[in-house]
Amino acid sequence: MSDPMIALLMLGLFIVCIFLGFPIAFTLMGMGILFGFYAYFQPGQSFLDNNIFYLFTQNTFSIMNNDVLISIPLFLFMGYIIERANILDKLFLSLQVALRHVPGSMAVAALITCTMFATATGIVGAVVTLMGLLALPSMLKAGYDEKLATGVITAGGTLGILIPPSIMLIVYAATAGISVVKLYAAAMIPGMVLAGMYLVYVLARVIINPSLAPKPKDVDAIGFWQGAYMLVTAFLPLALLIMTVLGSILFGLATPSEAAAMGAGGGIVLAVVYRAFSWLRLREAVFLTAKTTAMVCYLFVGSWTFSSVFSYLGGESVIKEFMLSMDLNTWQFLLLSQLIIFVLGWPLEWSEIIIIFVPIFLPLLEHFNVDPILFGILIAVNLQTSFLTPPMAMSAYYLKGVAPPQVQLWTIFKGCFPFLGMVLLTLALLYAQPRLVNWLPDLMYNSASEAVEPQDAGPANSETMDLNFLSGGSTEQAAPAADAPAEPEADDGKPGADPVIDPAFFLGGSSTPEKKAE
C-alpha cells in the first residue's frame, strides 16, 4: 500500500473513531503518533529515536508558546466571571422595561441580551443555558408562543461564535496564520447583519400576529425614572466593558491578549460592583476556564501532529489534486467547501471542524484566489447552522436541558427553523456581497492604494490602523515604499504563517527535498 493510501486510511479510521465516541483530541494524538512512527521509521533506528516523538514534543511546545492563543483563557475567564455575577438577569429585566412599548418586547430584549452576552463571552452553551433559565420561563408565563420563545433563545445564543471577541475566530486565525484583529473587524458587520435579521423577523411576526407575544403586565408598574435607572446600572457597565475591549483591539490600542486581560480584570470589577464576587464563584470560573482551555490546546496539539503526518504521507496532496481535478471555479469551490462544513457541523463541535478539517481547505485558497479572512467569516456564519439544524442542534439540546418539562424537543427544533433560514440568507448575502466582510478591515487598516485592489482581494497584511480612517478616510496617502520588505510566505501557501517546525525535519534533516523511500 502506497503512502497516500496509508494517509487516506488514517483519515478514514479517524472518522470511524469519532462516530464510535472516542475522545477526539487523544484520538488525534494517538493516530498521529501511530502512523507517524510508520512514516518516519528508518531501519536500524531505536524506538525512541523515531522523529515522530520529536514532532509531537515540538508541536506541543509551539502550541503552549503561541502568543495568539494566550487570549483564549483570558476571554473565557471574562465570560465565566460575568456569567456568575448575576449581570444577565439585571440586563434582561432592564431591557424588557425599556422596550415595553415595542411589539414582542420580551423576545426583542432576549435577543439583545443574547447578543451582548455573546459579545462578552463567545461561549454558546453558557448563553443558551442562562437565557433558558432566565428568559424562557418569563416569556412562557406571559403567554408567548413556545416556538417563537425557544427559537429566539437558541438563535441568539449561537451569535457568540461569530461576534467578537469570538473564541472560534481566535482559533481560526491561529490555524490559518492570519491577523486576529482584522478577522474581528471583518466579523462585525456580518454579525450585526445576522442579529438585525433576527430582530426584524421577530418584530414582523409579532406585528402580523400579536397573539404570538402578548404584552407583559408586570412591567407597567415600573415608572420611567426607575426604568431609566435600571437601564443605566445594568446596561451601561457591561456595554462599556465590551466597547473598551473591542475598541482597544480594533483601534490598535492593545493586542487581543492585552485586551482580553483588561476584559478579565473588568469582569472581576463588575462582579465586585454588583456584589456578586465570591471565592466560590472565582474558583468555578477559573476551573471552567482551565478545562475549556486545556481542551482547545489538546485539540491543537493532536491536530497539528495528525495533519503533519497526514501531509508527509501525501494525503494533503491527494485531496488537493482531487479538488483541482474537478475543475471548479471559485464560487463552486466555496459552495462545496461550505456544504462539507455544514454536514460536518451535525456530528462535530466547531472546535473540531476548525482545527481538524478546515486546514484541508486552506492550501486551496490561494489557487482559487479566496481571501482567508472572507473564508473564515463564511465558516463562522455557516457554523451557526450546526447549532440550529436537527438532529444534532446543540443549542436545542442546551435549551431542552433547562426548559420547563412541557416544552418538547421537537417544538424547539421547529422554533429553530425560521432562524436557520435567516442564517442561510446571510450566508447567501455574503456570497453576493463579499465587501460586507472586507469593507471594515480595508477602511480601518489598509492604505488607499491598497484599498483599491481588485474586488475580494481582502485586507492587506498590516495590522496598524490607517490614520486616514480617523480623519474621514482621505485618499491622499502615499503608497507603500517600494523597497519595503515583503512578508515571507510559509511553506503551506498561507501568507505570514510560520511553520510549526523546520521543514527540513520532514526530509530527514536534509534541505533538499527527497521522496520518502517506499
Side-chain angles (χ1 to χ4, degrees):
M1 184 179 292
S2 63
D3 283 355
M5 293 300 295
I6 294 291
L8 295 180
L9 174 64
M10 178 183 178
L11 181 62
L13 287 177
F14 169 69
I15 295 175
V16 170
C17 289
I18 289 178
F19 284 100
L20 291 178
F22 286 94
I24 294 179
F26 297 104
T27 301
L28 284 168
M29 293 182 197
M31 296 189 67
I33 292 176
L34 178 63
F35 283 88
F37 188 87
Y38 158 79
Y40 298 113
F41 177 77
Q42 296 179 5
Q45 186 181 52
S46 66
F47 180 82
L48 294 178
D49 286 339
N50 193 291
N51 280 338
I52 186 57
F53 299 112
Y54 173 77
L55 172 65
F56 182 74
T57 55
Q58 186 73 12
N59 280 344
T60 303
F61 178 79
S62 298
I63 292 297
M64 303 307 171
N65 200 39
N66 193 319
D67 292 338
V68 175
L69 300 181
I70 294 176
S71 56
I72 291 180
L74 295 171
F75 277 130
L76 286 172
F77 178 78
M78 180 181 76
Y80 284 126
I81 199 70
I82 290 175
E83 173 190 342
R84 276 152 179 73
N86 298 327
I87 298 175
L88 200 61
D89 54 348
K90 297 181 177 64
L91 177 61
F92 176 66
L93 180 58
S94 65
L95 287 173
Q96 182 183 339
V97 172
L99 299 170
R100 55 188 161 184
H101 299 301
V102 175
S105 59
M106 296 183 73
V108 173
L111 270 175
I112 297 176
T113 304
C114 284
T115 304
M116 287 196 63
F117 196 52
T119 306
T121 62
I123 309 166
V124 173
V127 179
V128 174
T129 301
L130 283 177
M131 290 302 295
L133 290 170
L134 175 64
L136 183 60
S138 300
M139 287 192 283
L140 296 180
K141 182 181 178 181
Y144 271 55
D145 179 71
E146 288 186 356
K147 295 190 292 295
L148 178 65
T150 56
V152 163
I153 294 175
T154 52
T158 62
L159 291 170
I161 64 171
L162 174 60
I163 300 178
S166 165
I167 303 299
M168 194 222 77
L169 295 180
I170 298 175
V171 174
Y172 174 81
T175 303
I178 59 178
S179 166
V180 179
V181 177
K182 290 184 178 179
L183 198 59
Y184 273 5
M188 292 299 294
I189 294 179
M192 293 300 108
V193 166
L194 183 57
M197 283 189 176
Y198 290 165
L199 286 173
V200 170
Y201 166 76
V202 170
L203 290 172
R205 284 288 308 275
V206 176
I207 291 174
I208 294 173
N209 186 2
S211 63
L212 294 176
K215 182 180 178 180
K217 306 297 183 182
D218 53 351
V219 297
D220 290 334
I222 301 176
F224 173 80
W225 292 111
Q226 184 181 359
Y229 174 78
M230 292 172 59
L231 188 63
V232 168
T233 56
F235 179 82
L236 287 185
L238 183 59
L240 182 62
L241 175 63
I242 294 170
M243 291 173 62
T244 302
V245 171
L246 288 182
S248 61
I249 295 175
L250 296 178
F251 286 92
L253 302 177
T255 66
S257 300
E258 293 167 345
M262 182 173 58
I268 294 178
V269 171
L270 282 184
V272 172
V273 169
Y274 284 106
R275 299 180 181 179
F277 183 81
S278 67
W279 172 253
L280 178 61
R281 288 171 176 168
L282 177 63
R283 186 176 65 180
E284 289 177 350
V286 171
F287 172 77
L288 292 172
T289 299
K291 180 180 177 181
T292 307
T293 304
M295 180 271 293
V296 173
C297 288
Y298 278 127
L299 274 174
F300 261 112
V301 171
S303 172
W304 284 15
T305 303
F306 183 94
S307 60
S308 296
V309 175
F310 181 76
S311 177
Y312 180 69
L313 288 171
E316 183 179 294
S317 299
V318 171
I319 293 177
K320 183 176 182 179
E321 291 173 3
F322 173 75
M323 293 289 290
L324 296 180
S325 67
M326 298 176 69
D327 197 22
L328 303 174
N329 59 33
T330 299
W331 294 114
Q332 290 171 336
F333 164 73
L334 285 174
L335 289 173
L336 178 60
S337 60
Q338 296 300 319
L339 178 62
I340 293 173
I341 291 172
F342 174 79
V343 174
L344 289 173
W346 291 356
L348 299 178
E349 291 278 358
W350 66 262
S351 53
E352 290 94 1
I353 295 175
I354 294 296
I355 298 175
I356 301 168
F357 291 98
V358 167
I360 296 176
F361 298 106
L362 292 178
L364 297 168
L365 298 185
E366 184 178 4
H367 174 82
F368 289 102
N369 196 27
V370 176
D371 177 14
I373 291 181
L374 172 63
F375 190 69
I377 300 303
L378 290 175
I379 292 174
V381 176
N382 191 352
L383 288 179
Q384 303 282 312
T385 63
S386 67
F387 287 93
L388 301 174
T389 307
M392 299 299 292
M394 290 307 300
S395 287
Y397 289 103
Y398 290 141
L399 184 58
K400 175 57 181 173
V402 297
Q406 70 270 20
V407 179
Q408 301 298 317
L409 183 61
W410 180 242
T411 301
I412 301 177
F413 283 158
K414 289 192 288 186
C416 292
F417 286 141
F419 296 93
L420 178 62
M422 279 173 282
V423 174
L424 297 177
L425 180 61
T426 303
L427 199 60
L429 185 61
L430 296 183
Y431 276 107
Q433 294 293 334
R435 295 302 297 172
L436 289 173
V437 174
N438 291 331
W439 177 78
L440 188 57
D442 282 343
L443 177 66
M444 296 183 68
Y445 305 110
N446 294 353
S447 66
S449 60
E450 294 166 330
V452 296
E453 292 290 328
Q455 64 175 4
D456 304 342
N461 288 328
S462 172
E463 293 186 17
T464 305
M465 170 175 286
D466 180 13
L467 296 181
N468 288 332
F469 169 73
L470 300 178
S471 58
S474 170
T475 58
E476 297 294 326
Q477 179 160 342
D483 57 350
E487 183 173 345
E489 291 193 0
D491 293 339
D492 55 3
K494 298 175 291 192
D498 294 328
V500 178
I501 61 174
D502 185 357
F505 163 77
F506 294 104
L507 308 169
S510 170
S511 59
T512 304
E514 297 176 1
K515 186 178 179 181
K516 181 183 180 293
E518 295 292 339

